């Protein structure tokens, strides 16, 4: 074995050279990895071996460019230079894939003559998720293997393909036994040599693309069918353009176009925002004050208290990952109803087979007493939002559950510290705040009480990752991180109406900013009676009184006959009456100002959360709002967006709004200070 450099080894196993990369955590194409591959391939191709296997140590094959430092890609050997070595090789190269071959990783594998993979491997070009396009030939080589339509699907979805599908589509040549990758890849390489199999370079292949030449309508149709999905994004259009070039133009020309578009994408504000978000999401898993060596406890069996909408949805998230769940309700009737709703939800999901529904339901047991939770590792309480009720439930759970079980509450605004006092294990009490519907919404706020132990916190984060939620840690405070911030913009919706604006006009402005829907459409979706309004004095209260509870009642701020929202005369009448009673004067405000008001209120509230320590970092707030309230990831979230606008400008606007609209716009002291110091929220 020869060390090529600190992250690459070359060894000879009989007639096969093995180039091994070992650069944790994910063997990204850092400067060292590229140097190692360049020198390693040169040495292997100059040596006696008749074939070369490229393989990675650790958890995965190369997972792409090193996005911690994209600018570094300009230094040292480029991917082009390494690929030129591979393309020019006079003997077969075999890529041996485990884990995830993503982005530049798959692009390097596509320069090998053969690919073998273990069944758990996944292969994809997820650059679009980072606002990028593949930049090392992915748009040129993948269509030559899969055909342009499948390639477009894979690249624009950003979702990796499983090994089985990769085998079926010819992206990999052979599946090998899990855990046996290296010997199997060596065996495969020897077979290739023995059989004298032709070394076909992907770049030279014509078979999958020839039939699409001179057919621009294929690409136009693809673009049109996804126009809504790709709204506002720059990368998808460039991907389609490049794949079309792969079909229409010589390889080198297609590569040149891809390079140019990659550079443009990399410089775009969208990509910068998305890369910021990528690391923000991962940093959110590392709350401050938790020793690095803290290990999560194993959570095998789960209990849920309450079989209502939330409890049922939560149970489903665990059944999805194959964990047995026991749901406890007080009355048989409520339990039966809850279980039957879960069954209906499963049966309604797309492509659900009866046996799969039964398998999922088999994981969910009902019970009428918390004594059924004696052996669970984690309980999530999802009962009525009343502190006395919750305390009673927690006192019972404390007695019924084993001593080391974690007791979690799904409360959306009550104090975890108060709830924990009802138990003798405050260190093992935590909040797990799911968003409705719990089995669909990606955000999970993990609420850290004063006494929650690091182990409990880390376990909660680990559970969140296992059930495929995006987790953010919040301290105890009304509305935690996300609801508290989003409420400010939603409340402002009422002010817009009082000033004489109409729901559709306001919604369009926020939609155009990048939200999936504006505040009124969102209220209709959630239900106007869901958000607390005890005095019924808000426009929501007036709408509910007029029988307009939102989409579920056929109408709210919009009418929903036939499904799609349409402006509503009945709603306009309620709004007119409301305005008359509340007496709002008409206000002159530009479209820009209307949007700024909503967004900067959120920014200001976020800064207050930082001041109060509710959120540990500005980036945690962004992760929460993107996943909980559809904040456009292309804008990076409210705090990142404020940094891009410039905090001085945000403060200046808030002060102007304070004068014009009232004290709710008063900038938070921390925001003023950071702005004065020329600092940023997101570091
Ligand atoms: N460059 C640099 N660092 C990367 C990286 C990349 N392309 N991909 C992942 N990492 C880092 C993460 O930041 C994380 O670091 P941390 O432990 O310091 O927080 C670590 O690798 C593990 O990543 P994580 O996502 O937590 O692990 P996972 O096992 O859940 O997922 C991947 C692994 C590879 C599937 C996932 O990280 C991923 O999708 N990466 C991006 C791949 C990509 O987009 N490639 C194309 C780039 S152009």
């Amino acid at each position: 074995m020869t060390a090529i450099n600190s992250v690459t080894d070359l060894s000879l196993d009989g007639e096969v050279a093995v180039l091994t990369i070992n650069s944790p955590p994910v063997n990204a194409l850092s400067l060292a990895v590229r140097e190692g591959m360049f020198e390693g391939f040169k040495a292997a191709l100059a040596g006696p071996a008749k074939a070369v296997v490229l393989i990675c140590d650790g958890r995965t094959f190369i997972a792409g460019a090193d996005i911690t430092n994209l600018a570094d890609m300009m230094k040292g050997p480029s991917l082009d230079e390494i690929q030129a070595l591979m393309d020019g090789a006079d003997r077969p190269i075999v890529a041996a894939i485990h884990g995830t071959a993503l982005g530049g990783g798959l692009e390097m594998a596509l320069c090998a003559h053969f690919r073998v993979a273990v069944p758990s491997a996944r292969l994809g070009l997820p650059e679009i998720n980072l606002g990028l396009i593949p930049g090392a030939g992915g748009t040129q080589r993948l269509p030559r293997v899969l055909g342009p339509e499948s390639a477009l699907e894979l690249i624009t979805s950003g979702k990796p393909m499983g090994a089985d599908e990769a085998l079926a589509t010819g992206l990999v040549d052979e599946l090998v036994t899990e855990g046996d990758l290296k010997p199997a890849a060596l065996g495969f390489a020897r077979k290739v040599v023995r059989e004298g199999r032709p070394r076909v370079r992907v770049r030279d292949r014509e078979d999958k693309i020839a039939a699409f030449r001179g057919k621009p309508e294929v690409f136009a149709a693809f673009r049109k069918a996804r126009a809504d999905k790709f709204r506002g994004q720059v990368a998808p259009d460039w991907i389609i353009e490049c794949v079309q070039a792969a079909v229409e133009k010589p390889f080198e020309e297609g590569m040149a176009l891809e390079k140019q578009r990659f550079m443009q994408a990399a410089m775009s504000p969208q990509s910068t925002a998305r890369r910021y978000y990528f690391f923000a999401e991962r940093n959110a898993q590392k709350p401050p004050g938790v020793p690095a060596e803290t290990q999560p406890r194993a959570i095998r069996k789960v209990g849920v208290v309450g079989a209502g909408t939330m409890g049922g949805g939560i149970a489903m998230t665990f059944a999805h990952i194959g964990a047995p769940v026991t749901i406890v309700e007080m009355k048989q009737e409520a339990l039966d109803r809850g279980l039957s709703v879960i069954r209906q939800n499963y049966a309604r999901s797309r492509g659900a087979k009866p046996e799969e529904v039964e398998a999922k339901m088999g994981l969910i047991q009902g019970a009428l007493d918390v004594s059924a939770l004696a052996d669970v590792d984690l309980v999530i309480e999802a009962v009525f939002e009343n502190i006395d009720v919750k305390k009673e439930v927690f006192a019972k759970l404390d007695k019924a559950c084993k001593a080391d079980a974690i007791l979690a509450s799904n409360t959306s605004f009550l104090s975890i510290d108060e709830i924990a006092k009802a138990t003798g294990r405050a260190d093992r009490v935590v909040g797990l705040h799911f968003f409705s519907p719990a089995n669909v919404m990606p955000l999970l706020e993990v609420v850290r009480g004063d006494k929650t132990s690091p182990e409990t916190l880390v376990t909660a984060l680990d559970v969140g990752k296992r059930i495929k939620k995006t987790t953010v840690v919040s301290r105890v405070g009304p509305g935690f991180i996300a609801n508290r911030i989003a409420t400010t913009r939603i409340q402002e919706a009422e002010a817009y109406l009082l000033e004489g604006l109409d729901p559709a006009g306001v919604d369009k402005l926020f939609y155009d900013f990048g939200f999936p829907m504006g505040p009124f459409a969102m209220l209709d979706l959630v239900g106007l009676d869901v958000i607390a309004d005890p005095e019924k004095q808000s426009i929501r209260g007036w709408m509910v009184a007029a029988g307009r509870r939102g989409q579920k009642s056929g109408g709210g701020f919009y009418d929903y006959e036939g499904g799609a929202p349409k402006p509503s005369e009945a709603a306009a009448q309620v709004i007119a009456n409301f305005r008359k009673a509340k007496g709002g004067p008409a206000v002159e405000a530009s479209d820009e100002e209307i949007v700024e008001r909503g967004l900067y209120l959120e920014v200001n509230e976020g800064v207050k959360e930082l001041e109060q320590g509710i959120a540990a970092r500005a980036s945690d707030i962004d992760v929460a709002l993107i996943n909980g309230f559809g904040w456009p990831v292309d804008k990076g979230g409210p705090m990142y967006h404020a940094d891009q606008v410039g905090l001085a400008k945000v403060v200046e606007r808030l002060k102007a709004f304070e004068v014009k609209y009232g004290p709710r716009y008063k900038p938070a002291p921390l925001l003023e200070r950071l702005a004065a110091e020329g600092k940023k929220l997101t570091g």
Side-chain angles (χ1 to χ4, degrees):
M1 173 111 61
T2 318
I4 298 291
N5 66 5
S6 61
V7 296
T8 325
D9 286 320
L10 184 63
S11 60
L12 195 62
D13 193 313
E15 56 190 2
V16 182
V18 181
L19 185 58
T20 308
I21 301 171
N22 185 4
S23 178
V26 295
N27 293 310
L29 292 159
S30 61
L31 177 59
V33 169
R34 278 178 283 120
E35 279 170 351
M37 286 180 80
F38 188 66
E39 295 305 327
F41 272 123
K42 269 205 301 202
L45 295 171
K50 294 192 175 134
V52 185
V53 166
L54 171 67
I55 193 166
C56 293
D57 272 347
R59 68 213 262 189
T60 180
F61 191 76
I62 303 164
D66 183 357
I67 48 176
T68 50
N69 198 347
L70 268 190
D72 241 22
M73 293 298 277
M74 301 295 170
K75 295 187 201 141
S78 67
L79 297 183
D80 279 355
E81 286 169 288
I82 303 166
Q83 292 188 339
L85 276 180
M86 296 171 79
D87 271 339
D90 58 357
R91 59 204 91 173
I93 298 175
V94 178
I97 299 170
H98 74 296
T100 43
L102 298 178
L106 179 56
E107 289 171 306
M108 297 322 267
L110 280 167
C111 286
H113 305 99
F114 302 96
R115 288 160 290 282
V116 298
V118 292
S120 62
R122 287 178 303 139
L123 301 86
L125 294 173
E127 286 86 347
I128 194 167
N129 298 329
L130 300 169
L132 296 169
I133 76 163
T139 64
Q140 304 306 299
R141 288 192 178 87
L142 196 66
R144 287 174 159 84
V145 176
L146 297 183
E149 286 167 311
S150 302
L152 275 175
E153 194 57 54
L154 192 87
I155 307 173
T156 59
S157 75
K159 292 201 186 96
M161 181 187 269
D164 279 347
E165 198 184 344
L167 180 68
T169 54
L171 183 53
V172 303
D173 300 280
E174 199 167 285
L175 290 194
V176 303
T177 312
E178 204 75 53
D180 244 1
L181 183 59
K182 190 170 167 189
L186 280 163
F188 182 89
R190 283 190 193 107
K191 187 167 63 182
V192 165
V193 172
R194 198 170 55 242
E195 292 174 0
R197 282 204 206 175
R199 276 180 289 115
V200 181
R201 301 190 307 178
V202 168
R203 57 174 286 168
D204 300 331
R205 278 180 62 177
E206 282 285 304
D207 51 316
K208 292 282 172 64
I209 55 174
F212 291 87
R213 215 154 272 153
K215 291 199 174 148
E217 64 276 11
V218 171
F219 300 92
F222 187 89
R223 188 176 273 121
K224 194 165 163 219
R226 287 156 187 82
D228 248 13
K229 186 174 167 213
F230 297 151
R231 176 174 71 99
Q233 282 179 255
V234 293
D237 223 44
W238 288 335
I239 290 168
I240 300 169
E241 185 192 14
C242 289
V243 172
Q244 190 168 0
V247 172
E248 298 290 351
K249 303 222 161 99
F251 179 77
E252 298 297 350
E253 262 183 62
M255 288 295 281
L257 177 69
E258 184 195 83
K259 200 121 291 151
Q260 181 196 341
R261 295 304 191 211
F262 173 83
M263 293 306 284
Q264 279 175 279
M267 312 275 276
S268 71
Q270 288 184 2
S271 176
T272 320
R274 282 175 179 253
R275 277 178 276 142
Y276 156 79
Y277 172 75
F278 179 86
F279 291 110
E281 194 183 293
R282 280 152 186 84
N283 278 338
Q285 312 307 301
K286 299 169 198 154
V290 174
E293 64 280 6
T294 315
Q295 289 300 313
R297 294 180 70 86
I299 302 291
R300 293 189 189 89
K301 290 178 90 175
V302 179
V304 175
V305 184
T309 313
M310 269 329 257
I314 293 169
M316 287 176 79
T317 64
F318 284 95
H320 279 323
I321 61 153
V325 190
T326 303
I327 302 197
V328 177
E329 252 298 348
M330 271 163 28
K331 297 224 167 68
Q332 186 70 47
E333 200 194 341
L335 182 61
D336 291 346
R337 198 171 43 235
L339 290 172
S340 100
V341 170
I342 295 177
R343 180 179 287 280
Q344 280 166 28
N345 283 342
Y346 277 133
R348 267 206 305 263
S349 48
R350 207 161 7 125
K353 299 197 184 99
E355 60 273 21
E356 287 164 1
V357 175
E358 287 318 313
K360 293 265 168 57
M361 288 309 291
L363 288 165
I364 304 178
Q365 301 228 339
L368 292 172
D369 193 273
V370 290
S371 57
L373 304 180
D375 66 342
V376 300
D377 307 297
L378 166 72
V379 186
I380 303 168
E381 162 278 313
V383 303
F384 188 60
E385 284 281 83
N386 172 297
I387 190 74
D388 297 327
V389 176
K390 302 243 181 209
K391 285 176 99 165
E392 201 183 312
V393 170
F394 269 73
K396 279 193 197 152
L397 288 173
D398 195 32
K399 288 206 184 73
C401 298
K402 60 185 183 186
D404 57 359
I406 292 178
L407 308 183
S409 172
N410 177 51
T411 181
S412 55
F413 58 87
L414 298 172
S415 163
I416 291 299
D417 295 332
E418 231 1 77
I419 294 172
K421 281 185 196 154
T423 73
R425 59 175 96 186
D427 58 325
R428 280 187 297 283
V429 174
V430 69
L432 286 180
H433 179 215
F434 290 79
F435 287 69
S436 187
N439 53 318
V440 177
M441 289 293 288
L443 180 62
L444 175 64
E445 283 180 329
V446 174
V447 186
R448 180 179 190 177
D450 277 347
K451 302 236 162 70
T452 305
S453 71
E455 187 190 63
T456 302
L457 190 63
V458 166
T459 306
L461 289 166
D462 186 57
V463 165
K465 185 164 184 180
R466 280 178 52 209
I467 58 173
K468 302 192 169 49
K469 298 291 177 198
T470 303
T471 46
V472 167
V473 176
S474 173
R475 283 291 191 174
V476 176
F480 306 123
I481 294 180
N483 277 346
R484 173 173 163 183
I485 292 177
T487 305
T488 58
R489 190 164 55 88
I490 291 164
Q491 277 171 352
E492 200 59 6
E494 179 160 313
Y496 297 137
L497 297 185
L498 283 174
E499 291 161 23
L501 297 166
D502 71 301
V506 173
D507 277 354
K508 179 168 186 317
L509 295 178
F510 285 97
Y511 178 81
D512 288 347
F513 179 80
F515 284 94
M517 63 187 88
F520 296 103
M522 195 181 89
L523 282 166
D524 274 0
L525 184 67
V526 175
L528 301 187
D529 49 350
V530 168
I531 300 168
D533 177 20
E535 311 279 304
K536 304 269 178 279
Q537 285 305 304
S538 70
I539 182 64
R540 283 176 279 121
W542 282 53
M543 285 288 205
V544 173
R548 305 188 66 83
R549 291 184 293 123
Q551 249 188 59
K552 61 186 170 191
S553 71
F557 290 104
Y558 297 90
D559 286 334
Y560 291 91
E561 276 153 34
K566 292 188 197 64
S568 161
E569 274 185 32
Q573 194 53 55
V574 180
I575 294 167
N577 294 342
F578 179 72
R579 202 172 157 219
K580 216 156 142 198
K582 299 271 175 179
V587 177
E588 276 298 308
S590 67
D591 289 353
E592 192 189 1
E593 180 165 317
I594 292 160
V595 176
E596 281 180 328
R597 282 168 56 188
L599 303 186
Y600 297 169
L601 274 172
E602 291 195 314
V603 172
N604 207 30
E605 199 63 29
V607 175
K608 289 178 195 169
E609 290 184 357
L610 291 174
E611 280 172 341
Q612 295 159 8
I614 300 293
R617 322 174 179 92
S619 58
D620 290 355
I621 295 176
D622 287 335
V623 175
L625 271 288
I626 286 171
N627 289 284
F629 285 91
W631 242 88
V633 65
D634 284 333
K635 297 274 181 2
M639 312 309 267
Y640 178 86
H641 178 66
D643 281 341
Q644 307 316 302
V645 172
L647 297 188
K649 177 167 178 211
V650 173
V651 168
E652 179 201 309
R653 299 299 284 151
L654 281 168
K655 284 184 171 165
F657 298 154
E658 190 185 355
V659 173
K660 189 168 169 187
Y661 300 103
R664 62 187 184 281
Y665 286 99
K666 188 176 170 41
L670 175 63
L671 184 59
E672 285 210 73
R673 202 189 78 220
L674 291 173
E677 291 170 0
K679 293 203 172 132
K680 290 189 165 199
L681 288 162
T682 57

